[in-house]
Amino acid sequence: MKSLGICIIGFYVLVFIAFLIEKRPLLSGSTSYFSQVAYNTNLVPFYYDLNTNYQALQMNVVMKIFLVMPIAIYYLLKKDCTLGQLITFILGVCLIFECAKVLSLRGIFDITDLFYYAIGGLIAYYLVSGIKYILKK
């Protein structure tokens, strides 16, 4: 069980390191830092541009749901918790991740992503609960 946790944490650390060392300039042109942060922040849930590639959008949604499932399953196996505690943990971790993305100017903070992360935690909770129920029988 401990090696599984180390593998999951190692995976997320590698993703975060790759995210940080990406070769893109932080500030481009004469736009101020705070203007770029404001531009890269979307606080309107489920708002998508009309020119959006919907296949890429669907893949993005699926990826975000499945991205949190390993850490949610690990948290559930490590600690017996309620659904509310799991969703609070997932949203806290993902909020830190989303803020790091926008503050480092490496991505866009989208409030809808937090919803997708919560759905991933919800699926993981019911998946683990179902497996525990089957194994208990």
Side-chain angles (χ1 to χ4, degrees):
M1 181 63 74
K2 188 172 183 172
S3 63
L4 174 67
I6 291 171
C7 289
I8 290 173
I9 291 171
F11 170 75
Y12 284 107
V13 167
L14 289 175
V15 167
F16 187 70
I17 289 171
F19 175 72
L20 288 179
I21 62 173
E22 182 183 4
K23 301 289 187 208
R24 232 186 332 159
L26 278 178
L27 293 174
S28 58
S30 62
T31 309
S32 72
Y33 173 77
F34 294 110
S35 297
Q36 287 188 0
V37 168
Y39 180 75
N40 290 336
T41 303
N42 177 23
L43 297 177
V44 179
F46 304 106
Y47 171 76
Y48 301 108
D49 189 15
L50 294 176
N51 298 326
T52 303
N53 179 354
Y54 286 102
Q55 288 179 334
L57 179 64
Q58 290 171 347
M59 191 62 191
N60 186 24
V61 170
V62 170
M63 181 197 65
K64 289 190 186 219
I65 289 173
F66 286 107
L67 180 69
V68 298
M69 288 182 72
I71 195 77
I73 290 171
Y74 178 72
Y75 186 75
L76 284 167
L77 294 177
K78 201 73 166 151
K79 181 180 178 186
D80 192 27
C81 63
T82 65
L83 178 61
Q85 291 171 331
L86 175 68
I87 296 298
T88 303
F89 171 74
I90 292 296
L91 288 179
V93 168
C94 293
L95 184 63
I96 291 169
F97 177 70
E98 288 287 319
C99 288
K101 277 193 329 187
V102 75
L103 292 177
S104 66
L105 299 177
R106 299 292 186 199
I108 296 174
F109 179 93
D110 192 355
I111 198 74
T112 311
D113 291 349
L114 295 176
F115 178 72
Y116 298 141
Y117 295 139
I119 289 175
L122 187 72
I123 291 171
Y125 179 81
Y126 285 114
L127 184 70
V128 169
S129 297
I131 291 172
K132 283 182 179 179
Y133 179 75
I134 290 171
L135 292 177
K136 195 191 296 187
K137 274 185 153 184

